Amino acid sequence: MIDGPTSANALLDELARVGVDRARGGYSRHVFTSAEGELREWFAAAARARGLEVQVDRNANVWAWFGRPGPDAVVTGSHLDSVPGGGAYDGPLGVVSALAAFDLLRAQGFTPRRPLAIVVFAEEEGGRFGVPCLGSRLLTGTIAPERVLALRDGNGDTFAEVAGAAGYDPGYFGRDDETLDRIGTFVELHVEQGRGLVHLDAPLAVGSGIIPHGRWRFTFAGQGNHAGTTLMADRRDPMVPAAEMIGAVRRAAMALPEARATVGRLVPTPGGTNVIASQVDVWLDARLPEPGDVRELVAEITERAGVAAELEGCTVEVREESYEGAAAFDAALRDRLVALLGNAPVLPTGAGHDAAVLARFVPTAMLYVRNPSGISHAPEEFAEPDDIDHGTAELARVLRSLAA
């Protein structure tokens, strides 16, 4: 057993060396890689050092229980995986603050009436297989396991193959009613992914909900050829309509208030400097608050991409890889936390979270810790140590109130 409480800041320091991406900067910690596996082992060891019972569910989510596992549990936690070249706080802050909050509750001599647990969800970011929140989606049955098992990473390896190599039975993934039925309430603490709290001059906020968002893959196909011998008039170069589409994304999103549309990944095939590509894959991330319709925004972009492809003598196919509608967190729980935390401000977010997946099944809330940079999914992501300590103490207060 550990001797007394450990701060969330100290726990973050323990993770600082794991998954450093020296090429991109920041961290690359993707599901079933050595870096992500090391973090999962770290969490299990840290939980056991606190006398918590550690379990891994059928979808590779890791659980740590304060007392006997059971129904109507108060659950907190987040994820440990990252986007490529991500920051140090997105995901891990929610995990380490949960451990530190449990330390505070134990130091206070608190005995929960309801079961308490911390969960680390698998593949929240979708950094390896392209689809976010796989651990929570599989748990709740909101994505088919057959689809997940067939997903391929950048090396062409399937989810089933890498999960099997990591020691998980591919045939065991899928909706897990036994685990889901244990969750009575879920609260996720997260670094804010914007500057709302900076403008409000507040260290902590309660989340109101998450705007609709999704990911789409555009595949432009043309004719691969020699860059030096093929005249410009004779080309069917898929990079040209791909570039036109990227410009169309910007223009279409700028025309709609509060829309966010991003091309963050583009992969040409075969990818040679002196080769006209035969295919270009472009991934679109699009988000739009209601009453707007994010799918209408994507339909407009798709139409423009089709026109550009036809003009170049190419084709384009579009596939929706993931979509989440608006997620409104439980109003009664939100109001309870606002009052408990001294009339804390309430903020929406355009970022997706496992909490949004769970919100359709159990009362769910989020807490946001101030991010002075306003930057996330990048190495500059940050939270002040004092704000992290404050968020941890407030999370402990929330857990105590809900589990008493």
Side-chain angles (χ1 to χ4, degrees):
M1 292 287 290
I2 62 169
D3 296 325
T6 303
S7 75
N9 289 291
L11 293 172
L12 277 174
D13 288 344
E14 294 181 17
L15 308 183
R17 64 173 182 78
V18 183
V20 173
D21 191 323
R22 304 198 181 281
R24 299 182 180 95
Y27 296 91
S28 292
R29 301 159 164 170
H30 307 314
V31 70
F32 303 137
T33 62
S34 59
E36 192 259 3
E38 186 174 348
L39 292 178
R40 293 161 69 88
E41 291 174 2
W42 171 88
F43 172 74
R48 292 189 179 104
R50 288 161 170 79
L52 307 180
E53 180 178 338
V54 176
Q55 299 177 343
V56 181
D57 68 22
R58 61 187 294 176
N59 296 300
N61 305 309
V62 187
W63 297 77
W65 290 87
F66 187 154
R68 183 182 298 276
D72 196 33
V74 177
V75 180
T76 188
S78 193
H79 61 96
L80 291 170
D81 67 295
S82 76
V83 298
Y89 300 85
D90 180 356
L93 179 59
V95 175
V96 298
S97 64
L99 288 167
F102 276 31
D103 286 351
L104 291 176
L105 293 176
R106 180 174 279 114
Q108 294 164 5
F110 176 65
T111 301
R113 180 183 59 82
R114 297 169 64 183
L116 272 173
I118 303 170
V119 61
V120 175
F121 283 109
E123 184 69 338
E124 193 269 355
E125 295 289 7
R128 183 168 188 180
F129 291 98
V131 179
C133 299
L134 285 183
S136 56
R137 287 175 190 248
L138 285 163
L139 167 68
T140 56
T142 50
I143 191 169
E146 296 80 12
R147 180 189 170 198
V148 174
L149 293 172
L151 292 173
R152 292 185 181 274
D153 65 12
N155 294 324
D157 298 321
T158 68
F159 185 96
E161 289 167 345
V162 299
Y168 297 92
D169 181 354
Y172 202 49
F173 286 88
R175 182 180 172 102
D176 186 353
D177 286 315
E178 180 181 0
T179 300
L180 182 60
D181 289 346
R182 286 178 166 178
I183 307 173
T185 306
F186 180 70
V187 179
E188 180 174 359
L189 182 144
H190 205 279
V191 66
E192 189 194 2
Q193 296 172 290
R195 290 178 55 84
L197 283 168
V198 173
H199 298 316
L200 292 171
D201 193 25
L204 192 75
V206 178
S208 60
I210 295 175
I211 69 174
H213 59 281
R215 299 181 186 184
W216 288 262
R217 179 175 179 171
F218 289 67
T219 299
F220 295 89
Q223 177 60 61
N225 214 328
H226 195 293
T229 62
T230 310
L231 298 177
M232 301 304 289
D234 294 338
R235 299 184 179 205
R236 293 193 295 119
D237 183 354
M239 190 65 78
V240 174
E244 294 286 346
M245 175 236 170
I246 294 170
V249 167
R250 178 86 170 182
R251 293 189 294 273
M254 290 289 287
L256 293 172
E258 298 299 319
R260 304 100 193 256
T262 307
V263 171
R265 184 180 176 207
L266 180 150
V267 177
T269 302
T273 304
N274 59 346
V275 179
I276 299 168
S278 59
Q279 178 175 304
V280 178
D281 289 295
V282 181
W283 281 263
L284 170 68
D285 179 299
R287 307 168 192 238
L288 180 61
E290 294 178 331
D293 187 337
V294 71
R295 283 193 168 117
E296 287 186 5
L297 171 63
V298 174
E300 180 182 346
I301 294 168
T302 299
E303 181 179 359
R304 297 185 187 185
V307 171
E310 185 176 0
L311 287 173
E312 184 65 18
C314 296
T315 62
V316 60
E317 294 183 359
V318 183
R319 183 176 67 195
E320 182 177 289
E321 293 198 330
S322 67
Y323 178 78
E324 283 291 333
F329 296 131
D330 186 86
L333 178 58
R334 177 201 64 211
D335 293 346
R336 178 177 175 178
L337 299 194
V338 167
L340 178 68
L341 302 179
N343 201 30
V346 177
L347 291 176
T349 183
H353 300 285
D354 292 302
V357 177
L358 291 179
R360 297 186 334 196
F361 299 88
V362 298
T364 301
M366 287 197 71
L367 304 177
Y368 301 126
V369 172
R370 177 167 48 195
N371 178 347
S373 71
I375 296 171
S376 187
H377 282 188
E380 295 83 2
E381 181 179 86
F382 186 62
E384 294 285 356
D386 287 348
D387 285 350
I388 291 174
D389 287 339
H390 177 75
T392 298
E394 295 295 68
L395 176 62
R397 191 141 66 104
V398 166
L399 298 175
R400 184 181 186 116
S401 174
L402 294 174

